[in-house]
Amino acid sequence: MKTFTCANVPEGHFTFDELLELDLVKDAIRQLKAVPHPQKQKVKTLVFTMQYIDVVAAFDKEKNGTVLLGEKEKHHLMLAVDDFVESNFDEILKRFTKQQREILRNAVS
């Protein structure tokens, strides 16, 4: 069985700035601003969204767009990314610059 590895945000398929410009990320930010959750949870959800988008893009690039993920595969991938972000959030956040962390916090506030 072939394994797939990818980099973590913000050093993944997309740059930090590219991720922030994606419509999916902009929509997530709008939705997160509207909910009354603690800022840390909102940032974690935003990082999850960014990581998931990045993983799907990296997978698509590796497969040269020849493999479409079905709903079952997308669901399993989403769960894996969620588990990864939940388990490693503090370490993931350290990969962002101080300025990027501030941008994330301000984006969801």
Side-chain angles (χ1 to χ4, degrees), residues 42-57:
K42 290 181 179 187
V43 170
K44 190 181 288 186
T45 301
L46 180 56
V47 169
F48 159 77
T49 301
M50 295 167 81
Q51 183 67 59
Y52 180 72
I53 291 167
D54 201 75
V55 167
V56 170

Side-chain angles (χ1 to χ4, degrees), residues 71-107:
E71 292 304 313
K72 183 178 177 182
E73 291 84 5
K74 287 179 187 176
H75 179 71
H76 288 292
L77 181 58
M78 188 179 299
L79 292 175
V81 171
D82 183 51
D83 185 53
F84 174 76
V85 171
E86 188 67 37
S87 300
N88 300 287
F89 181 67
D90 293 331
E91 287 302 312
I92 293 168
L93 221 52
K94 290 177 185 176
R95 294 185 183 121
F96 291 90
T97 67
K98 183 178 179 181
Q99 181 182 13
Q100 290 170 333
R101 288 190 299 271
E102 190 64 29
I103 289 169
L104 292 173
R105 285 191 292 272
N106 289 337

Side-chain angles (χ1 to χ4, degrees), residues 16-68:
F16 180 78
D17 291 334
E18 288 171 335
L19 280 165
L20 289 179
E21 291 301 316
L22 295 174
D23 288 339
L24 287 171
V25 174
K26 288 178 180 179
D27 288 343
I29 289 170
R30 271 193 293 279
Q31 291 178 29
L32 288 167
K33 283 183 174 189
V35 294
H37 296 302
Q39 185 184 57
K40 183 175 181 177
Q41 186 59 44
K42 290 181 179 187
V43 170
K44 190 181 288 186
T45 301
L46 180 56
V47 169
F48 159 77
T49 301
M50 295 167 81
Q51 183 67 59
Y52 180 72
I53 291 167
D54 201 75
V55 167
V56 170
F59 182 78
D60 187 59
K61 181 180 178 186
E62 181 178 288
K63 300 297 181 185
N64 296 318
T66 60
V67 177
L68 295 176

